[in-house]
Amino acid sequence: RLEKLQDGYDWNIIRTFCLRVIRCIDNLESRIEGLLEEGVETGHLEDVRDELIFALESSGVEQFRPEENSPYRGQEKSTEAVKEREHCTDSNKVGMIAKVVRPGYQYFIDEGNLKVVRAAQVKLFG
């Protein structure tokens, strides 16, 4: 029981730290997008973003993006749908992933055992 409590405590510390780094990556992504729209070179910011992603990956935290045009159903544990929907005329696409708004991050504990640090945010067809 004590071991379970320690594991939960450790996971909470890891998750909190990772979420702070992920927030930095999100901010860099937003600034890169804004500067690209203005026609400004962003290579230096992209290098910093890539280094932060690499630092997470080398610690067992991997960025992931759900596949677009895949069914949302069954991915609810690792993916979160935003309220806004993407308009579509094909009724077969309703409820499928239209666009990844923000990537998700997962922590690999061992083979077949992972924890979601942050769920990916997606826009669904509707």
Side-chain angles (χ1 to χ4, degrees):
R1 188 173 185 180
L2 183 60
E3 189 174 312
K4 252 186 162 176
L5 285 173
Q6 183 64 42
D7 286 345
Y9 179 75
D10 291 347
W11 166 242
N12 198 28
I13 290 171
I14 291 168
R15 185 174 181 273
T16 300
F17 177 75
C18 289
L19 286 171
R20 288 181 180 143
V21 174
I22 291 166
R23 196 168 328 134
C24 292
I25 294 169
D26 289 342
N27 288 337
L28 281 168
E29 286 285 344
S30 294
R31 290 174 196 228
I32 289 168
E33 281 182 36
L35 290 172
L36 285 174
E37 288 175 4
E38 296 174 13
V40 177
E41 170 59 36
T42 61
H44 57 290
L45 291 177
E46 291 173 23
D47 290 342
V48 173
R49 177 205 56 205
D50 293 344
E51 285 294 321
L52 288 170
I53 292 171
F54 178 75
L56 286 175
E57 287 175 350
S58 64
S59 299
V61 178
E62 184 177 285
Q63 186 183 74
F64 70 93
R65 293 176 177 274
E67 191 174 325
E68 292 181 3
N69 293 313
S70 67
Y72 173 68
R73 183 163 294 200
Q75 298 187 63
E76 294 92 349
K77 288 185 179 181
S78 62
T79 307
E80 171 185 300
V82 297
K83 288 184 181 182
E84 186 181 339
R85 304 286 180 181
E86 187 77 25
H87 178 71
C88 74
T89 55
D90 184 355
S91 62
N92 293 327
K93 286 192 168 191
V94 172
M96 295 184 84
I97 296 173
K99 176 184 175 186
V100 177
V101 177
R102 287 189 340 182
Y105 293 83
Q106 53 195 7
Y107 178 60
F108 283 93
I109 298 165
D110 55 36
E111 191 64 37
N113 192 9
L114 59 89
K115 290 187 178 191
V116 175
V117 177
R118 182 183 79 184
Q121 291 185 336
V122 298
K123 187 186 284 190
L124 303 179
F125 287 111

